[in-house]
Amino acid sequence: MYNQITGHTRLCCLLGSPVAHSISPMMHNEAFRLLGLDYVYLCFDTGHADLQTMIQTLREMNVLGFNLTMPDKERVLPYLDDLTSAAAMTGAVNTVKNENGRLIGHNTDGIGYIQSLKDAGYDITGGEMTLLGAGGAASSIAVQAALDQVPALHIVNRRGRSWENANRLAALINRQTGCRADVTDLADTKAVQEVIQKSSLLTNATSIGMAPHAGASPIADPSCFHKDLFVSDIIYNPRQTKLLADAQQAGCRTANGLYMLLYQGAAAFSIWTGQDMPIGDIRDRFFS
Ligand code: NDP
């Protein structure tokens, strides 16, 4: 079952803290094995490490590439040589490719999200989108949706920690893409209902619906849900949040966040190897 390590084996890895729970080593090592690629994927906890030294060491070791998770997605930016436009606009990197000694930062969270929608039969260009949240995951999704030509994006957040980021994102998207973006306060129930009513996609990228908020929904009154609304929750634990249960009851099509996780990994795999991850095998093995 394990890959054969040789004198040529190149390293991919995950940096962040904590990392021990990650599914990434399983999915990437199995995909390397299935395609006969001489690479190996490991996890390194950066909790007590100096990130700059770690990145410099990975560069010297000529690794194939690496992933970053919390809290390193933003902290890594000063140590990279270049960024894709999605990573630059988001201000966060989850995948780095070593291109002949140059470290290029990508953000595949948004790509993975849009691919998971396609998989569920939803076309992002088909109508307006309401996005709940303005934290790390929401930023990646907002930027990729705008780059992939969602016509209008309504960002909804409470006036808390990420309120400023919500406004920064909307301004950036309005300036740099053809998408019209605006921001609504989650506490303004009437305005939130109005943006949902004119949307064909509602995405929850807040943490409401998972522990310690499991059983709660960011939309307390689901009466604005209409049958042409696709409701997506990027939470995958639990698989069905209260938001998704309410949406199903209203006759909406729904999807949880499990395949976003799969496809953000698949996008990183393609960036590193130039090959498609054997999605069917990986999905059946780790995501069912
Ligand atoms: P962040 O902490 O960066 O953002 C959390 C967001 O939720 C912020 O907008 C925050 O608002 C909002 N929020 C949190 N608690 C409340 C509350 N009680 N009421 C209203 N708003 C609230 O987290 P991430 O963006 O990294 O993750 C968000 C969710 O997405 C998590 O559940 C995570 O598990 C999931 N996720 C799924 C992925 C996948 O592959 N499927 C990938 C990444 C994340 P404020 O800033 O004001 O607190």
Side-chain angles (χ1 to χ4, degrees):
M1 196 43 72
Y2 289 98
N3 299 355
Q4 176 86 42
I5 306 291
T6 72
H8 300 281
T9 305
R10 288 185 74 190
L11 178 67
C12 284
C13 59
L14 172 64
L15 305 182
S17 188
V19 288
H21 65 285
S22 173
I23 199 170
S24 295
M26 276 83 88
M27 71 192 277
H28 287 296
N29 286 320
E30 179 65 359
F32 293 152
R33 192 187 68 81
L34 286 168
L35 296 183
L37 296 171
D38 193 4
Y39 305 134
V40 67
Y41 189 106
L42 298 174
C43 290
F44 298 112
D45 196 304
T46 57
H48 298 289
D50 171 32
L51 189 62
Q52 181 173 12
T53 307
M54 247 173 141
I55 303 293
Q56 186 54 25
T57 306
L58 292 175
R59 194 195 287 271
E60 306 261 339
M61 286 163 59
N62 194 28
V63 299
L64 186 67
F66 50 96
N67 285 135
L68 297 130
T69 186
M70 302 311 285
D72 295 331
K73 288 181 174 186
E74 291 90 14
R75 294 202 306 153
V76 74
L77 293 182
Y79 313 125
L80 302 179
D81 299 305
D82 207 353
L83 300 174
T84 61
S85 48
M89 286 176 72
T90 310
V93 161
N94 77 332
T95 300
V96 173
K97 167 122 194 260
N98 177 7
E99 290 187 6
N100 303 316
R102 296 190 77 238
L103 299 182
I104 313 299
H106 300 249
N107 192 312
T108 68
D109 284 334
I111 296 171
Y113 177 69
I114 305 289
Q115 185 59 43
S116 74
L117 286 182
K118 269 192 203 140
D119 207 57
Y122 185 84
D123 175 5
I124 193 79
T125 64
E128 301 192 11
M129 172 178 188
T130 296
L131 175 64
L132 309 175
S139 301
S140 311
I141 290 171
V143 164
Q144 197 62 46
L147 290 173
D148 287 358
Q149 295 171 1
V150 70
L153 175 67
H154 310 292
I155 301 171
V156 176
N157 206 67
R158 64 177 171 184
R159 283 184 186 267
R161 185 181 53 108
S162 351
W163 179 252
E164 231 176 78
N165 189 49
N167 286 288
R168 178 197 72 85
L169 269 177
L172 188 69
I173 286 169
N174 284 325
R175 213 167 44 242
Q176 295 195 13
T177 75
C179 168
R180 285 173 290 116
D182 51 51
V183 180
T184 302
D185 184 350
L186 181 62
D188 186 345
T189 315
K190 188 163 170 281
V192 173
Q193 301 245 334
E194 275 169 18
V195 292
I196 292 174
Q197 261 151 6
K198 58 187 179 184
S199 294
S200 47
L201 174 63
L202 170 65
T203 303
N204 178 37
T206 74
S207 31
I208 309 173
M210 68 178 285
H213 308 294
S217 169
I219 304 299
D221 174 7
S223 62
C224 57
F225 292 179
H226 51 92
K227 68 172 181 20
D228 296 324
L229 185 69
F230 189 104
V231 180
S232 150
D233 199 324
I234 71 165
I235 291 171
Y236 52 87
N237 183 17
R239 299 284 163 93
Q240 194 189 51
T241 57
K242 169 124 182 14
L243 175 75
L244 293 188
D246 288 348
Q248 278 165 18
Q249 196 142 34
C252 305
R253 288 189 297 150
T254 62
N256 67 25
L258 202 57
Y259 287 176
M260 172 178 170
L261 187 64
L262 169 66
Y263 285 115
Q264 61 76 30
F269 186 91
S270 298
I271 288 167
W272 293 327
T273 66
Q275 297 194 40
D276 290 339
M277 180 180 265
I279 283 287
D281 292 299
I282 300 300
R283 185 176 49 214
D284 293 351
R285 183 86 204 277
F286 302 111
F287 291 84
S288 51

